[in-house]
mmCIF file of all heavy atoms in Angstrom:
data_model
loop_
_atom_site.group_PDB
_atom_site.id
_atom_site.type_symbol
_atom_site.label_atom_id
_atom_site.label_comp_id
_atom_site.label_asym_id
_atom_site.label_seq_id
_atom_site.Cartn_x
_atom_site.Cartn_y
_atom_site.Cartn_z
ATOM 1 N N TYR R 528 -15.247 -0.327 -0.608
ATOM 2 C CA TYR R 528 -16.686 -0.257 -0.869
ATOM 3 C C TYR R 528 -17.525 -0.558 0.368
ATOM 4 O O TYR R 528 -18.751 -0.580 0.286
ATOM 5 C CB TYR R 528 -17.065 -1.218 -1.997
ATOM 6 C CG TYR R 528 -16.633 -0.711 -3.356
ATOM 7 C CD1 TYR R 528 -15.574 -1.291 -4.036
ATOM 8 C CD2 TYR R 528 -17.287 0.377 -3.934
ATOM 9 C CE1 TYR R 528 -15.155 -0.803 -5.273
ATOM 10 C CE2 TYR R 528 -16.884 0.865 -5.167
ATOM 11 C CZ TYR R 528 -15.824 0.269 -5.833
ATOM 12 O OH TYR R 528 -15.429 0.765 -7.044
ATOM 13 N N GLY R 529 -16.885 -0.813 1.490
ATOM 14 C CA GLY R 529 -17.638 -1.181 2.689
ATOM 15 C C GLY R 529 -18.530 -2.395 2.441
ATOM 16 O O GLY R 529 -19.619 -2.510 3.002
ATOM 17 N N GLY R 530 -18.093 -3.292 1.585
ATOM 18 C CA GLY R 530 -18.870 -4.503 1.259
ATOM 19 C C GLY R 530 -19.901 -4.278 0.162
ATOM 20 O O GLY R 530 -20.444 -5.237 -0.383
ATOM 21 N N ASN R 531 -20.201 -3.017 -0.158
ATOM 22 C CA ASN R 531 -21.181 -2.719 -1.220
ATOM 23 C C ASN R 531 -20.475 -2.716 -2.572
ATOM 24 O O ASN R 531 -20.216 -1.659 -3.162
ATOM 25 C CB ASN R 531 -21.840 -1.366 -0.963
ATOM 26 C CG ASN R 531 -22.619 -1.375 0.334
ATOM 27 O OD1 ASN R 531 -23.432 -2.269 0.576
ATOM 28 N ND2 ASN R 531 -22.346 -0.402 1.184
ATOM 29 N N LEU R 532 -20.167 -3.898 -3.061
ATOM 30 C CA LEU R 532 -19.339 -4.026 -4.261
ATOM 31 C C LEU R 532 -20.083 -3.587 -5.510
ATOM 32 O O LEU R 532 -21.312 -3.659 -5.563
ATOM 33 C CB LEU R 532 -18.893 -5.482 -4.412
ATOM 34 C CG LEU R 532 -17.940 -5.987 -3.328
ATOM 35 C CD1 LEU R 532 -17.800 -7.505 -3.414
ATOM 36 C CD2 LEU R 532 -16.572 -5.328 -3.449
ATOM 37 N N PRO R 533 -19.352 -3.151 -6.548
ATOM 38 C CA PRO R 533 -19.999 -2.842 -7.828
ATOM 39 C C PRO R 533 -20.728 -4.077 -8.359
ATOM 40 O O PRO R 533 -20.349 -5.207 -8.047
ATOM 41 C CB PRO R 533 -18.828 -2.482 -8.743
ATOM 42 C CG PRO R 533 -17.696 -2.135 -7.838
ATOM 43 C CD PRO R 533 -17.902 -2.945 -6.592
ATOM 44 N N LEU R 534 -21.750 -3.838 -9.165
ATOM 45 C CA LEU R 534 -22.610 -4.928 -9.641
ATOM 46 C C LEU R 534 -21.814 -6.082 -10.247
ATOM 47 O O LEU R 534 -22.085 -7.238 -9.983
ATOM 48 C CB LEU R 534 -23.606 -4.372 -10.662
ATOM 49 C CG LEU R 534 -24.684 -5.340 -11.156
ATOM 50 C CD1 LEU R 534 -25.564 -5.808 -10.017
ATOM 51 C CD2 LEU R 534 -25.534 -4.684 -12.244
ATOM 52 N N TRP R 535 -20.800 -5.765 -11.053
ATOM 53 C CA TRP R 535 -20.080 -6.831 -11.763
ATOM 54 C C TRP R 535 -19.306 -7.731 -10.811
ATOM 55 O O TRP R 535 -18.921 -8.838 -11.166
ATOM 56 C CB TRP R 535 -19.192 -6.276 -12.867
ATOM 57 C CG TRP R 535 -17.975 -5.510 -12.446
ATOM 58 C CD1 TRP R 535 -17.932 -4.230 -11.984
ATOM 59 C CD2 TRP R 535 -16.619 -5.957 -12.483
ATOM 60 N NE1 TRP R 535 -16.642 -3.849 -11.722
ATOM 61 C CE2 TRP R 535 -15.803 -4.884 -12.024
ATOM 62 C CE3 TRP R 535 -16.000 -7.148 -12.864
ATOM 63 C CZ2 TRP R 535 -14.414 -4.971 -11.935
ATOM 64 C CZ3 TRP R 535 -14.616 -7.242 -12.782
ATOM 65 C CH2 TRP R 535 -13.836 -6.169 -12.314
ATOM 66 N N LEU R 536 -19.061 -7.260 -9.580
ATOM 67 C CA LEU R 536 -18.303 -8.052 -8.612
ATOM 68 C C LEU R 536 -19.190 -8.648 -7.511
ATOM 69 O O LEU R 536 -18.735 -9.509 -6.760
ATOM 70 C CB LEU R 536 -17.235 -7.174 -7.952
ATOM 71 C CG LEU R 536 -16.094 -6.690 -8.848
ATOM 72 C CD1 LEU R 536 -15.303 -5.581 -8.160
ATOM 73 C CD2 LEU R 536 -15.164 -7.856 -9.205
ATOM 74 N N THR R 537 -20.421 -8.194 -7.393
ATOM 75 C CA THR R 537 -21.279 -8.646 -6.290
ATOM 76 C C THR R 537 -21.621 -10.129 -6.439
ATOM 77 O O THR R 537 -22.088 -10.543 -7.496
ATOM 78 C CB THR R 537 -22.593 -7.831 -6.274
ATOM 79 O OG1 THR R 537 -22.251 -6.463 -6.266
ATOM 80 C CG2 THR R 537 -23.420 -8.141 -5.051
ATOM 81 N N PRO R 538 -21.387 -10.920 -5.391
ATOM 82 C CA PRO R 538 -21.695 -12.348 -5.508
ATOM 83 C C PRO R 538 -23.165 -12.604 -5.850
ATOM 84 O O PRO R 538 -23.478 -13.393 -6.719
ATOM 85 C CB PRO R 538 -21.341 -12.908 -4.129
ATOM 86 C CG PRO R 538 -20.301 -11.968 -3.594
ATOM 87 C CD PRO R 538 -20.687 -10.608 -4.122
ATOM 88 N N GLU R 539 -24.086 -11.914 -5.139
ATOM 89 C CA GLU R 539 -25.506 -12.075 -5.465
ATOM 90 C C GLU R 539 -26.000 -10.743 -5.979
ATOM 91 O O GLU R 539 -26.090 -9.757 -5.253
ATOM 92 C CB GLU R 539 -26.294 -12.501 -4.215
ATOM 93 C CG GLU R 539 -27.720 -12.856 -4.549
ATOM 94 C CD GLU R 539 -28.525 -13.330 -3.329
ATOM 95 O OE1 GLU R 539 -27.912 -13.693 -2.309
ATOM 96 O OE2 GLU R 539 -29.759 -13.294 -3.409
ATOM 97 N N GLN R 540 -26.318 -10.717 -7.271
ATOM 98 C CA GLN R 540 -26.660 -9.429 -7.890
ATOM 99 C C GLN R 540 -28.128 -9.061 -7.700
ATOM 100 O O GLN R 540 -28.456 -7.892 -7.537
ATOM 101 C CB GLN R 540 -26.306 -9.470 -9.379
ATOM 102 C CG GLN R 540 -24.793 -9.575 -9.609
ATOM 103 C CD GLN R 540 -24.420 -10.024 -11.002
ATOM 104 O OE1 GLN R 540 -25.100 -10.867 -11.597
ATOM 105 N NE2 GLN R 540 -23.335 -9.483 -11.523
ATOM 106 N N VAL R 541 -28.984 -10.073 -7.748
ATOM 107 C CA VAL R 541 -30.422 -9.803 -7.675
ATOM 108 C C VAL R 541 -31.108 -10.847 -6.796
ATOM 109 O O VAL R 541 -30.769 -12.038 -6.867
ATOM 110 C CB VAL R 541 -31.089 -9.893 -9.083
ATOM 111 C CG1 VAL R 541 -32.474 -9.258 -9.057
ATOM 112 C CG2 VAL R 541 -30.233 -9.250 -10.155
ATOM 113 N N ARG R 542 -32.061 -10.421 -5.968
ATOM 114 C CA ARG R 542 -32.886 -11.389 -5.238
ATOM 115 C C ARG R 542 -34.351 -11.036 -5.462
ATOM 116 O O ARG R 542 -34.743 -9.872 -5.361
ATOM 117 C CB ARG R 542 -32.554 -11.374 -3.747
ATOM 118 C CG ARG R 542 -33.243 -12.504 -2.994
ATOM 119 C CD ARG R 542 -32.875 -12.530 -1.525
ATOM 120 N NE ARG R 542 -31.490 -12.961 -1.308
ATOM 121 C CZ ARG R 542 -30.964 -13.126 -0.085
ATOM 122 N NH1 ARG R 542 -31.704 -12.884 0.991
ATOM 123 N NH2 ARG R 542 -29.722 -13.523 0.050
ATOM 124 N N VAL R 543 -35.132 -12.070 -5.776
ATOM 125 C CA VAL R 543 -36.565 -11.876 -6.009
ATOM 126 C C VAL R 543 -37.295 -12.139 -4.699
ATOM 127 O O VAL R 543 -37.118 -13.196 -4.083
ATOM 128 C CB VAL R 543 -37.070 -12.848 -7.109
ATOM 129 C CG1 VAL R 543 -38.551 -12.591 -7.399
ATOM 130 C CG2 VAL R 543 -36.239 -12.707 -8.380
ATOM 131 N N LEU R 544 -38.109 -11.194 -4.264
ATOM 132 C CA LEU R 544 -38.830 -11.332 -3.004
ATOM 133 C C LEU R 544 -40.330 -11.290 -3.286
ATOM 134 O O LEU R 544 -40.855 -10.276 -3.769
ATOM 135 C CB LEU R 544 -38.472 -10.185 -2.052
ATOM 136 C CG LEU R 544 -36.987 -9.874 -1.832
ATOM 137 C CD1 LEU R 544 -36.819 -8.659 -0.932
ATOM 138 C CD2 LEU R 544 -36.270 -11.063 -1.228
#
Side-chain angles (χ1 to χ4, degrees):
Y528 286 108
N531 297 310
L532 293 168
L534 186 62
W535 70 283
L536 293 167
T537 307
E539 188 178 343
Q540 294 163 323
V541 195
R542 188 178 289 183
V543 183
L544 310 177

